[in-house]
Amino acid sequence: MTLPPARLLSAVTLSLLLAACGTSPTTTAAPVPTAQEPAAQGPGAPDTVNTDVGHSHGERAIPGLGVDPSTFPTHARLGTPTILPAARVSAQALPGNVQPSITALKVLILSSGSGDFGLATAKAMLQEAGVPFDVLDATMESLDMGRLVDAGGVGRYQGVVLTSSALIYAAPGGLYPSALDAGEWDTLFEYERTFGVRQLALYGAPGTAPEDYGLRTVAGAETSTTTLTLSTAGRAVFGDLTASAVPVNYAYTYPSAVTPMPGITTQVLATDPAGNVLAATSTSADGRERLVLTSAQNPYLLHSQLLSYGLVQWLTRGVHLGEHRRFLQADIDDLFLSGDRLDPATLAMRPNPYRVSGNDLLNVYSQMKNVQSAYPVARSFRYAMMFNGGGANASVPPLCVNWPMLTRDMLSSAAKCLYTQFDWVNHTRDHLRMDVMDLATATTQVGDNVTIGTKLGLVMSRNALVTGEHSGLGNMDPGDDGTYNDSDVNLPKQDLGLGRSNPNVLSAAVSAGARYLASDHSVASHWDATCPTCGVPHPLNSGVFLVPRWPNGMAYYVTDPTEALAYYNGMYGPAGRFPYYDHNLTYAEFLDKDSDLTLNHVLDGGAFPHYMHQTNLRQYAAGKSLATDWVRAALEKYSRYSTLPLTTLRWADLGPYLERHTREAKAKSAGTLYAVWNRATNQVTVTSTAGSVPVTVTGDTAGTLYGAYRSRSQDVTGTLTVTVAPR
């Protein structure tokens, strides 16, 4: 293997890795689980076996998806729509001051009510891209021209999303009226035509109401399981996807066929194995552009997540506030310490703890470089090593080959060699539980570890901190008196909220220069459900910002596939604590299931790390470790479908990125950050009414290229004008 040059400190020194938001649709009976749809229990169920010292899943979930499949739109059949006569709104003329070239950079979601199974998907795809949106419940509110055009004649929306093509809902007598009446549909179409606004229907059974797409359903072809393959035209819209067929499972589908209609031009984007249409664009006789999908959607289903990026870019013509970027961050906790190790025969801990070796660390570096070479989407990938300096020896020489006879601690020597190759992050000196720790001890634990890292010569992300077990942040035993602060006893924990955080830990972090603290995404108070891609400003200390991290299926006390399976099958196999599978999984099956969940997280667009532990770095076979097996499984699956590069940031950059993203998202949500687009001049004017805030504009001609689109991120105070290039 090739390693970086070592620093010559002695003559012997050498150089060398899925709440369910879908609800029962109002257009049909509630989904009925079938024999192929397992119950809502499985990996992710709360347990104490996998607590690290806090490494618990914390979520009860179907493997690889994180939700109960009985809530998926497997049976989301669409009734025949009825368009009611204009009653609430007559077709309305545009105001006399209309400015058809100018629209706000915002999207309107039209919903058919509280049981609308497509609403969660519409929100998720826009949130992932950072696109501002409004939701209009058409069963409760009227859609008139005042809702679409402001007093200055500017269009309020750059795009329109229909959660289903006719916005139908169930009514007495077996009828399925549209939530928009004829006058409202006419008003919407007039707005779209005048302002050149595109319309996306997330689900439809193509027919003639409320309008014709030039498609008709193929009788008898309806299904809930199929695959989607892009056409040449589809690859232009979904340019981030590979040629691999996309699975469409748990989603009722109306395979359709092109039916030529006067004045309508239909372009097939995707087909099923029989050549039937699953997605198409269509231009109406009055020139409006529509895109319709004939499969039901859900934000946790693979086809919905994979199509999301291309759908948003098509809808907005590649010009919008925010950006859709994907991340692969892998943290390794507890480096330099010894940890529990499972005996797979007894499912008890072995008497002797396990500490990763220096040779293991050198090989993990080699594995990381091989990952970068093997997967073009992961060129920037690197591990973050969350280290506990209390287990290190800072006086040893750096060694870049495994010569333990030349050092008192080969692991510390290897770390010195690899001082720039990993992202080194403070995990406190001794990994103590900090929920009720005094200020002096907390300050010592945080500050001493920085000192040790400096003596080791590690290039650290000094603005970041991971506390042992994510402790000190309110997820704790409410009766904890500090007796077990220095042990790995898994006390019963409750999410008491961030208000029960230990202020001494927060103060110690700030004093040491650490602003960004890791939190546990499986703890409800540690992440922001209202903004799924945001971090969390700490309510008790403005100097602290939380970065949620995802757990995974690698228990903290396993070092090889046999141990990993003993834990996993002991939890979720047919005889496990939470029986889920009908057989004990093989290692390949386990990686396949867990990488489904990882893929779900990656496609969500959140810059949140996944975390594992030092035991998972053991080289159990030549060039192999559990951690790198997990990374490769995730990348193998992601690369099968997507070409978008996965960003890996050092924590020194990750924290600030996530904080800027959060500030921008909150400003857009509050309406204090907004923009208008003049398509005649291709100028976007961004306005902030709440002081200086970050803003990201996708489509900016001078921005940074990601995929096929450029985005610029900068601060704006007052107004900012940028030039864009629509697609």
mmCIF file of all heavy atoms in Angstrom, residues 10 15 18 30 50 58 71 162 213 248 276 292 330 362 364 373 384 419 472 486 545 584 594 668 693 711:
data_model
loop_
_atom_site.group_PDB
_atom_site.id
_atom_site.type_symbol
_atom_site.label_atom_id
_atom_site.label_comp_id
_atom_site.label_asym_id
_atom_site.label_seq_id
_atom_site.Cartn_x
_atom_site.Cartn_y
_atom_site.Cartn_z
ATOM 1 N N SER A 10 12.318 10.420 14.034
ATOM 2 C CA SER A 10 13.368 9.524 14.517
ATOM 3 C C SER A 10 13.975 8.798 13.339
ATOM 4 O O SER A 10 13.412 8.760 12.242
ATOM 5 C CB SER A 10 12.807 8.514 15.519
ATOM 6 O OG SER A 10 12.025 7.543 14.849
ATOM 7 N N SER A 15 8.697 6.205 5.469
ATOM 8 C CA SER A 15 7.527 6.640 4.715
ATOM 9 C C SER A 15 7.015 5.470 3.912
ATOM 10 O O SER A 15 7.718 4.547 3.603
ATOM 11 C CB SER A 15 7.887 7.817 3.803
ATOM 12 O OG SER A 15 8.854 7.436 2.875
ATOM 13 N N LEU A 18 -34.007 4.891 6.318
ATOM 14 C CA LEU A 18 -35.817 4.916 5.949
ATOM 15 C C LEU A 18 -36.759 5.153 6.837
ATOM 16 O O LEU A 18 -36.886 4.776 8.108
ATOM 17 C CB LEU A 18 -36.061 3.833 5.471
ATOM 18 C CG LEU A 18 -35.214 2.997 4.319
ATOM 19 C CD1 LEU A 18 -35.809 2.302 3.759
ATOM 20 C CD2 LEU A 18 -34.551 2.840 3.821
ATOM 21 N N ALA A 30 -58.240 2.107 2.725
ATOM 22 C CA ALA A 30 -56.913 2.123 3.325
ATOM 23 C C ALA A 30 -56.094 0.944 2.802
ATOM 24 O O ALA A 30 -56.629 -0.129 2.532
ATOM 25 C CB ALA A 30 -57.024 2.030 4.851
ATOM 26 N N ASN A 50 -27.506 -2.438 21.703
ATOM 27 C CA ASN A 50 -26.656 -1.699 20.777
ATOM 28 C C ASN A 50 -26.388 -0.272 21.253
ATOM 29 O O ASN A 50 -26.151 0.613 20.474
ATOM 30 C CB ASN A 50 -27.310 -1.664 19.385
ATOM 31 C CG ASN A 50 -26.298 -1.337 18.310
ATOM 32 O OD1 ASN A 50 -25.135 -1.650 18.475
ATOM 33 N ND2 ASN A 50 -26.739 -0.722 17.247
ATOM 34 N N GLY A 58 -32.833 3.449 17.998
ATOM 35 C CA GLY A 58 -33.798 4.418 18.460
ATOM 36 C C GLY A 58 -35.060 4.526 17.635
ATOM 37 O O GLY A 58 -35.931 5.307 17.925
ATOM 38 N N THR A 71 -48.213 1.462 5.304
ATOM 39 C CA THR A 71 -48.570 2.857 5.033
ATOM 40 C C THR A 71 -48.157 3.290 3.638
ATOM 41 O O THR A 71 -48.430 4.429 3.244
ATOM 42 C CB THR A 71 -47.913 3.797 6.056
ATOM 43 O OG1 THR A 71 -46.497 3.728 5.912
ATOM 44 C CG2 THR A 71 -48.310 3.432 7.470
ATOM 45 N N LEU A 162 -48.988 19.120 -8.450
ATOM 46 C CA LEU A 162 -50.262 18.477 -8.115
ATOM 47 C C LEU A 162 -49.933 17.153 -7.432
ATOM 48 O O LEU A 162 -49.215 16.328 -7.997
ATOM 49 C CB LEU A 162 -51.089 18.208 -9.368
ATOM 50 C CG LEU A 162 -51.341 19.387 -10.319
ATOM 51 C CD1 LEU A 162 -52.115 18.909 -11.537
ATOM 52 C CD2 LEU A 162 -52.088 20.509 -9.608
ATOM 53 N N TYR A 213 -53.369 14.473 -21.240
ATOM 54 C CA TYR A 213 -51.912 14.417 -21.393
ATOM 55 C C TYR A 213 -51.487 13.673 -22.656
ATOM 56 O O TYR A 213 -50.302 13.483 -22.891
ATOM 57 C CB TYR A 213 -51.289 13.715 -20.184
ATOM 58 C CG TYR A 213 -51.307 14.510 -18.902
ATOM 59 C CD1 TYR A 213 -52.382 14.413 -18.019
ATOM 60 C CD2 TYR A 213 -50.250 15.339 -18.554
ATOM 61 C CE1 TYR A 213 -52.402 15.132 -16.823
ATOM 62 C CE2 TYR A 213 -50.258 16.055 -17.375
ATOM 63 C CZ TYR A 213 -51.330 15.949 -16.517
ATOM 64 O OH TYR A 213 -51.339 16.667 -15.330
ATOM 65 N N VAL A 248 -39.787 -0.115 -8.711
ATOM 66 C CA VAL A 248 -40.982 0.610 -8.273
ATOM 67 C C VAL A 248 -41.815 -0.382 -7.480
ATOM 68 O O VAL A 248 -42.586 -1.161 -8.048
ATOM 69 C CB VAL A 248 -41.775 1.188 -9.462
ATOM 70 C CG1 VAL A 248 -43.002 1.951 -8.969
ATOM 71 C CG2 VAL A 248 -40.891 2.091 -10.312
ATOM 72 N N ASN A 276 -44.812 0.030 -21.459
ATOM 73 C CA ASN A 276 -45.866 0.967 -21.077
ATOM 74 C C ASN A 276 -45.274 2.197 -20.390
ATOM 75 O O ASN A 276 -44.228 2.128 -19.753
ATOM 76 C CB ASN A 276 -46.870 0.283 -20.149
ATOM 77 C CG ASN A 276 -47.567 -0.879 -20.819
ATOM 78 O OD1 ASN A 276 -48.009 -0.771 -21.961
ATOM 79 N ND2 ASN A 276 -47.653 -2.008 -20.122
ATOM 80 N N VAL A 292 -46.149 14.098 -15.899
ATOM 81 C CA VAL A 292 -46.999 13.230 -15.102
ATOM 82 C C VAL A 292 -46.296 11.907 -14.853
ATOM 83 O O VAL A 292 -45.616 11.363 -15.731
ATOM 84 C CB VAL A 292 -48.365 12.995 -15.784
ATOM 85 C CG1 VAL A 292 -48.201 12.263 -17.104
ATOM 86 C CG2 VAL A 292 -49.324 12.243 -14.852
ATOM 87 N N ALA A 330 -18.727 9.324 7.219
ATOM 88 C CA ALA A 330 -18.604 8.139 8.067
ATOM 89 C C ALA A 330 -17.666 8.448 9.224
ATOM 90 O O ALA A 330 -16.472 8.667 9.028
ATOM 91 C CB ALA A 330 -18.091 6.947 7.265
ATOM 92 N N LEU A 362 -3.548 1.371 9.628
ATOM 93 C CA LEU A 362 -2.840 1.532 8.355
ATOM 94 C C LEU A 362 -3.634 0.909 7.214
ATOM 95 O O LEU A 362 -3.706 1.465 6.108
ATOM 96 C CB LEU A 362 -1.454 0.899 8.442
ATOM 97 C CG LEU A 362 -0.462 1.563 9.402
ATOM 98 C CD1 LEU A 362 0.796 0.707 9.530
ATOM 99 C CD2 LEU A 362 -0.103 2.969 8.945
ATOM 100 N N VAL A 364 -6.913 0.461 7.176
ATOM 101 C CA VAL A 364 -8.128 1.241 6.931
ATOM 102 C C VAL A 364 -7.810 2.402 6.001
ATOM 103 O O VAL A 364 -8.621 2.757 5.136
ATOM 104 C CB VAL A 364 -8.728 1.726 8.261
ATOM 105 C CG1 VAL A 364 -9.766 2.817 8.024
ATOM 106 C CG2 VAL A 364 -9.383 0.568 8.991
ATOM 107 N N SER A 373 -10.829 5.217 -5.282
ATOM 108 C CA SER A 373 -10.492 4.817 -6.656
ATOM 109 C C SER A 373 -11.600 4.004 -7.307
ATOM 110 O O SER A 373 -11.842 4.126 -8.510
ATOM 111 C CB SER A 373 -9.195 3.997 -6.649
ATOM 112 O OG SER A 373 -8.112 4.743 -6.161
ATOM 113 N N ALA A 384 -13.762 10.058 9.285
ATOM 114 C CA ALA A 384 -13.504 10.954 10.408
ATOM 115 C C ALA A 384 -13.233 10.079 11.626
ATOM 116 O O ALA A 384 -14.026 9.193 11.939
ATOM 117 C CB ALA A 384 -14.689 11.873 10.658
ATOM 118 N N TYR A 419 -1.555 11.507 10.190
ATOM 119 C CA TYR A 419 -2.042 12.699 10.878
ATOM 120 C C TYR A 419 -2.865 13.623 9.994
ATOM 121 O O TYR A 419 -3.682 14.389 10.483
ATOM 122 C CB TYR A 419 -0.860 13.470 11.479
ATOM 123 C CG TYR A 419 0.082 14.105 10.469
ATOM 124 C CD1 TYR A 419 0.090 15.478 10.257
ATOM 125 C CD2 TYR A 419 0.979 13.322 9.744
ATOM 126 C CE1 TYR A 419 0.954 16.055 9.335
ATOM 127 C CE2 TYR A 419 1.836 13.884 8.831
ATOM 128 C CZ TYR A 419 1.830 15.252 8.613
ATOM 129 O OH TYR A 419 2.685 15.811 7.704
ATOM 130 N N GLY A 472 -24.726 14.561 27.827
ATOM 131 C CA GLY A 472 -24.777 15.975 28.130
ATOM 132 C C GLY A 472 -25.825 16.728 27.347
ATOM 133 O O GLY A 472 -25.941 17.950 27.475
ATOM 134 N N ASP A 486 -17.885 7.028 34.690
ATOM 135 C CA ASP A 486 -16.664 6.438 34.146
ATOM 136 C C ASP A 486 -16.830 4.977 33.781
ATOM 137 O O ASP A 486 -15.858 4.248 33.629
ATOM 138 C CB ASP A 486 -15.511 6.600 35.137
ATOM 139 C CG ASP A 486 -15.786 5.919 36.472
ATOM 140 O OD1 ASP A 486 -16.942 5.497 36.687
ATOM 141 O OD2 ASP A 486 -14.854 5.822 37.293
ATOM 142 N N PHE A 545 -23.974 24.475 18.238
ATOM 143 C CA PHE A 545 -24.864 24.069 17.145
ATOM 144 C C PHE A 545 -24.735 22.564 16.994
ATOM 145 O O PHE A 545 -23.617 22.021 16.915
ATOM 146 C CB PHE A 545 -24.463 24.783 15.854
ATOM 147 C CG PHE A 545 -25.395 24.554 14.699
ATOM 148 C CD1 PHE A 545 -26.518 25.355 14.526
ATOM 149 C CD2 PHE A 545 -25.158 23.539 13.783
ATOM 150 C CE1 PHE A 545 -27.388 25.141 13.456
ATOM 151 C CE2 PHE A 545 -26.014 23.324 12.715
ATOM 152 C CZ PHE A 545 -27.133 24.128 12.550
ATOM 153 N N ASN A 584 -32.374 -16.371 9.555
ATOM 154 C CA ASN A 584 -31.199 -15.615 9.926
ATOM 155 C C ASN A 584 -30.471 -15.156 8.661
ATOM 156 O O ASN A 584 -30.269 -15.940 7.731
ATOM 157 C CB ASN A 584 -30.260 -16.460 10.784
ATOM 158 C CG ASN A 584 -30.755 -16.584 12.216
ATOM 159 O OD1 ASN A 584 -31.441 -15.708 12.732
ATOM 160 N ND2 ASN A 584 -30.404 -17.693 12.861
ATOM 161 N N ASP A 594 -28.964 -3.220 5.363
ATOM 162 C CA ASP A 594 -28.524 -1.996 6.028
ATOM 163 C C ASP A 594 -28.173 -0.908 5.022
ATOM 164 O O ASP A 594 -28.385 0.274 5.286
ATOM 165 C CB ASP A 594 -27.322 -2.287 6.928
ATOM 166 C CG ASP A 594 -27.224 -1.297 8.075
ATOM 167 O OD1 ASP A 594 -28.191 -1.211 8.861
ATOM 168 O OD2 ASP A 594 -26.205 -0.594 8.176
ATOM 169 N N LYS A 668 -36.001 31.330 4.763
ATOM 170 C CA LYS A 668 -36.973 31.115 3.688
ATOM 171 C C LYS A 668 -38.323 30.703 4.258
ATOM 172 O O LYS A 668 -39.375 31.171 3.803
ATOM 173 C CB LYS A 668 -36.440 30.058 2.710
ATOM 174 C CG LYS A 668 -35.313 30.570 1.828
ATOM 175 C CD LYS A 668 -34.858 29.563 0.804
ATOM 176 C CE LYS A 668 -34.123 28.397 1.390
ATOM 177 N NZ LYS A 668 -33.414 27.585 0.374
ATOM 178 N N VAL A 693 -28.039 37.084 5.869
ATOM 179 C CA VAL A 693 -28.286 35.646 5.939
ATOM 180 C C VAL A 693 -27.646 34.982 4.730
ATOM 181 O O VAL A 693 -27.446 35.602 3.687
ATOM 182 C CB VAL A 693 -29.792 35.316 5.969
ATOM 183 C CG1 VAL A 693 -30.443 35.838 7.236
ATOM 184 C CG2 VAL A 693 -30.487 35.864 4.741
ATOM 185 N N SER A 711 -24.373 26.264 -8.567
ATOM 186 C CA SER A 711 -25.007 26.932 -7.443
ATOM 187 C C SER A 711 -24.011 27.889 -6.811
ATOM 188 O O SER A 711 -22.832 27.571 -6.682
ATOM 189 C CB SER A 711 -25.479 25.920 -6.389
ATOM 190 O OG SER A 711 -26.442 25.035 -6.916
#
